[in-house]
C-alpha cells in the first residue's frame, strides 16, 4: 500500500496548515473572550474566518463528492483533519465540524432530492448547523438495539416519542434540525427495526431540556443536550431512505466519521506533545530543566512513538475504506476508535503533568481538551464495544466468533 498523498492533497494540507497558523491561532484569545461573554452565540471571528476559508477554497474538505465538496478520499483528507484537530475551533471555520460532517454524508448518500435541497445545501453553505439524536439516558446505549425512543408510522405521518441525550450540536444558535433515530417495528430483524428521521428543531413537541457538562465544560456554543420528543408528528417523507433503514444508515455514517474523529484526535495529541516539550525545556526544578528530571525524556519519547503508530493505523484504515469499503475495514475502524482516543488521553495527561497546576487551568488548552477526548471514548461506541468487534473479526479467521 502507498500512503503518498496526491499533489492536490499535499497542497491543500499546506494551505490548511498555513490558514490555521496565520488566521486562527493568532485569534484564539479573541474567540475565547467572545465565548466567555456570550457562551451560546457564534463569535464574530468565526463567521469572518469562514468567509475567508471559503474564498480560499478551503471549504467542505471532508466531502468526497467533487461537486458539493473537495472530492478527496479518506486518505487524502486525513492530514487536513489532523491539522484542524490541533485547534479547538478550526473545524467549524472550514465547515468540517462534527456532527455536521456525518449528517451531511447521511443526506448525500441516503437522503431524497427534497431532503438534500432543504437541509444538505444550507448545511454545506455553513448557514445552519445540526445535531444527531441517538443516545438515551434510560438504556445502555452501548447496545443500540436497546433503544427505547420510537418512530412509529401512522398513515402518512411518522410519530416520534422518547428522550435523547448527549446530542452534540443541539446548543448551537444556528442548529436548525436533528437526525432522530427511533424504534419503528419491534418485530422486524434487529437491524431493520429502526428509522432515522429529519426533525426541524422548531417542530412542536421537541424540547431541549438542558445542556450537559463534561468535567464542568459545556463545549459552547455547540454543546451536548438532553432532548425530549413528545408526540412529534412529521410527514412520512421526513424519514431518511424509508422506515427500517436506521442501522444501515448508521453503519454507513460511522466509517468515515471515525476516521475524521481519530485524525482530529491525533492533531490534538501533536499539539499536546508540542506544549509538553516547550514546557519541559522552559521550566527548571531542582536545578535542571523539567526535560531532564525523572522519566520525562522517556515519557516524551513514548508519546512520539504512540502518536506515529496511531497515525499509521488510521491511514491504513482510511486506505482500506477507500479501496475495500466498510466491509473490508470493519476491524480496523474499531481498532482506531479504541486506540486513538486512549493514546491521545495519555499524551494529554503527560502534558498536563509537566504543566503542574497550570495544566488543570484554562490558561492552557489541555484540561478542556482532556475533557473532550475522554468523552470520545464513549462517543460512537465505547472502547469495550469496539474491542468486541475486533475480537469477533479475529476469531472468525479460525472458524468461530464465539
Amino acid at each position: 500500500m502507498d500512503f503518498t498523498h496526491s499533489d492536490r492533497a499535499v497542497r491543500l494540507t499546506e494551505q490548511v496548515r498555513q490558514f490555521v497558523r496565520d488566521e486562527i491561532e493568532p485569534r484564539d484569545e479573541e474567540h475565547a473572550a467572545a465565548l466567555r461573554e456570550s457562551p451560546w452565540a457564534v463569535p464574530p471571528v468565526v463567521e469572518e474566518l469562514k468567509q475567508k476559508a471559503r474564498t480560499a477554497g478551503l471549504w467542505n474538505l471532508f466531502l468526497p463528492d467533487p461537486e458539493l465538496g473537495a472530492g478527496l478520499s479518506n486518505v487524502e483528507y486525513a492530514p487536513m483533519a489532523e491539522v484542524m484537530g490541533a485547534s479547538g475551533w478550526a473545524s467549524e471555520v472550514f465547515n468540517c465540524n462534527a456532527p455536521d460532517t456525518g449528517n451531511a454524508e447521511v443526506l448525500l448518500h441516503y437522503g431524497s432530492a427534497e431532503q438534500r435541497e432543504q437541509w444538505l445545501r444550507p448545511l454545506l453553505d455553513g448557514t445552519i448547523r445540526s445535531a444527531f439524536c441517538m443516545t438515551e439516558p434510560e438504556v445502555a446505549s452501548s447496545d443500540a438495539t436497546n433503544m427505547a425512543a420510537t418512530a412509529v408510522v401512522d398513515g402518512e405521518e411518522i410519530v416520534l416519542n422518547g428522550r435523547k441525550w448527549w446530542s452534540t450540536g443541539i446548543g448551537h444558535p444556528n442548529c436548525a434540525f436533528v437526525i432522530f433515530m427511533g424504534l419503528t417495528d419491534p418485530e422486524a430483524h434487529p437491524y431493520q427495526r429502526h428509522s432515522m428521521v429529519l426533525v426541524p428543531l422548531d417542530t412542536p413537541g421537541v424540547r431541549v431540556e438542558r445542556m450537559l457538562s463534561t468535567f464542568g465544560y459545556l463545549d459552547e456554543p455547540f454543546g451536548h443536550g438532553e432532548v425530549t420528543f413528545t408526540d412529534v408528528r412529521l410527514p412520512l417523507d421526513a424519514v431518511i431512505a424509508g422506515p427500517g433503514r436506521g442501522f444501515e444508515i448508521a453503519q454507513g455514517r460511522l466509517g468515515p466519521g471515525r476516521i475524521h474523529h481519530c485524525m482530529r484526535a491525533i492533531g490534538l495529541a501533536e499539539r499536546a506533545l508540542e506544549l509538553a516539550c516547550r514546557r519541559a525545556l522552559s521550566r527548571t526544578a531542582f536545578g535542571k530543566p523539567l526535560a531532564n528530571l525523572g522519566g520525562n525524556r522517556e515519557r516524551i519519547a513514548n508519546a512520539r512513538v504512540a502518536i506515529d503508530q496511531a497515525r499509521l493505523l488510521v491511514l491504513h484504515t482510511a486506505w482500506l475504506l477507500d479501496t475495500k469499503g466498510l466491509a473490508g475495514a470493519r476491524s480496523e475502524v474499531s481498532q482506531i476508535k479504541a486506540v486513538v482516543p486512549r493514546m491521545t488521553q495519555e499524551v494529554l495527561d503527560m502534558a498536563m503533568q509537566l504543566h503542574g497546576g497550570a495544566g488543570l487551568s484554562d490558561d492552557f488548552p489541555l484540561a478542556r481538551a482532556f475533557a473532550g477526548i475522554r468523552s470520545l471514548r464513549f462517543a460512537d461506541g465505547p472502547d469495550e464495544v469496539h474491542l468486541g468487534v475486533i475480537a469477533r473479526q479475529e476469531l472468525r479467521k479460525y472458524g468461530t466468533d464465539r
Side-chain angles (χ1 to χ4, degrees), residues 19-59:
F19 194 100
V20 171
R21 183 179 63 242
D22 296 345
E23 301 284 355
I24 295 177
E25 289 180 354
R27 304 183 74 173
D28 278 345
E29 179 50 38
E30 178 184 347
H31 178 265
L35 286 177
R36 285 194 295 270
E37 184 175 338
S38 302
W40 300 106
V42 180
V45 64
V46 171
E47 295 299 336
E48 175 192 335
L49 292 186
K50 279 168 63 176
Q51 293 305 314
K52 282 190 176 183
R54 189 168 191 174
T55 300
L58 304 176
W59 192 252

Side-chain angles (χ1 to χ4, degrees), residues 29-95:
E29 179 50 38
E30 178 184 347
H31 178 265
L35 286 177
R36 285 194 295 270
E37 184 175 338
S38 302
W40 300 106
V42 180
V45 64
V46 171
E47 295 299 336
E48 175 192 335
L49 292 186
K50 279 168 63 176
Q51 293 305 314
K52 282 190 176 183
R54 189 168 191 174
T55 300
L58 304 176
W59 192 252
N60 293 331
L61 296 167
F62 71 95
L63 203 62
D65 186 287
E67 294 185 6
L68 297 175
L72 299 169
S73 68
N74 286 302
V75 169
E76 288 177 315
Y77 175 63
M80 300 170 212
E82 179 178 338
V83 173
M84 295 178 207
S87 164
W89 55 290
S91 293
E92 185 180 12
V93 169
F94 300 108
N95 213 41

